[in-house]
Amino acid sequence: MRRPLPPAGWLLVLAACSMAPAAQAESSLSLSRPRSFGDIAAQTLDETGQRLGDARVRFAELPNGDVSLLSEIHIDGGATNRLTARLAPVDGGAHLRPLTEESRTELAAGHDLGSLQIDHAARVVRCTSATGERAELAMDEGDRVALAPMNLLFLPLVRGEATEIAFQIAICRGGPRIVEARARLVPGQPDATTRPELAEVRYELDFGPVLSAVVKPFLPRVSLWFDRAKDGDWIAHRMPLYSAGPTVMVVRAGVSPEALGLDR
């Protein structure tokens, strides 16, 4: 029986600008630099707010000026999802462009579910199954595919610089393919239990007008939360741990899950 592969993960969509020169193969996404580098401690929760394990997000500046991103989500005694990305400085270092990204999931006892890799320079999506089978899909030049740094990609929405961000998601389940996606702020004022400075961004996959209406009720809600009072600092995100896996919350240390209004 074929096991599911990790989904195109959480975190990425800042501003789809800064087009690459025609002679080069590069992502067309341009991301703001993180405000600070180092580890961000977090915890993994279920959708009711019960703790499942530890998590962390880390940005590091590399000697050549590139930036690395690591996101790890753990369930105690269970699965671990690891997202990594390497980002190159552009615009004199003011922005970043994704070079490579990867999502890999392991179950308990180190059983590998497979991986999803994106090589923007080579313009290829690589899906590797638990048994080592590999399938590849070519991407268009100047792709808008996003996998890891969505906490940087959604900042224009949080800062009021955009009302919608269109990007692309790579999916391995059922064979590699690329799907259009759109992200927007969740409308409405927070209720009395939430923190008014928190902004929730939710994104949805776009399979076309007919198919999207059919599959939407079966798709998980994917959200990211940001702190407007701190220039869009990442606070939390909600995502499936892996394809067809449980939906989990990853919440920054010191933030109460009740503040996020999880029942919305």
Side-chain angles (χ1 to χ4, degrees), residues 16-22 26-30 91 97 141-144:
C17 58
S18 184
M19 295 299 294
E26 295 178 334
S27 167
S28 65
L29 296 175
S30 177
D91 301 333
R97 175 180 291 133
E141 186 172 350
D143 71 85
R144 294 180 292 112

Side-chain angles (χ1 to χ4, degrees), residues 183-200:
R184 303 178 183 89
L185 279 175
V186 174
Q189 296 297 318
D191 59 38
T193 65
T194 63
R195 290 166 45 179
E197 71 272 19
L198 295 188
E200 180 185 354

Side-chain angles (χ1 to χ4, degrees), residues 40-86:
I40 301 173
Q43 56 181 332
T44 308
L45 311 172
D46 66 17
E47 290 191 277
T48 69
Q50 298 300 307
R51 184 185 180 280
L52 300 174
D54 293 325
R56 66 168 173 155
V57 175
R58 182 179 71 202
F59 282 107
E61 190 168 20
L62 303 177
N64 70 342
D66 288 355
V67 172
S68 67
L69 165 64
L70 166 68
S71 169
E72 290 182 331
I73 308 172
H74 301 280
I75 293 180
D76 292 342
T80 296
N81 177 262
R82 180 183 175 93
L83 278 167
T84 56
R86 190 178 183 110

Side-chain angles (χ1 to χ4, degrees), residues 2-10 73 79-84 101-107 111-118 125-131 133 146-147 169-177 203 239-246:
R2 185 175 182 180
R3 292 184 177 273
L5 292 177
W10 54 288
I73 308 172
T80 296
N81 177 262
R82 180 183 175 93
L83 278 167
T84 56
E101 307 176 71
E102 181 178 26
S103 175
R104 182 176 295 275
T105 302
E106 292 183 354
L107 297 181
H111 183 77
D112 194 342
L113 280 185
S115 67
L116 165 62
Q117 296 174 313
I118 299 174
V125 175
R126 298 185 180 97
C127 296
T128 305
S129 72
T131 59
E133 297 173 272
L147 175 62
I169 289 289
I171 298 175
C172 283
R173 192 179 185 191
R177 62 191 187 279
Y203 74 81
M239 61 171 283
L241 187 61
Y242 52 88
S243 181

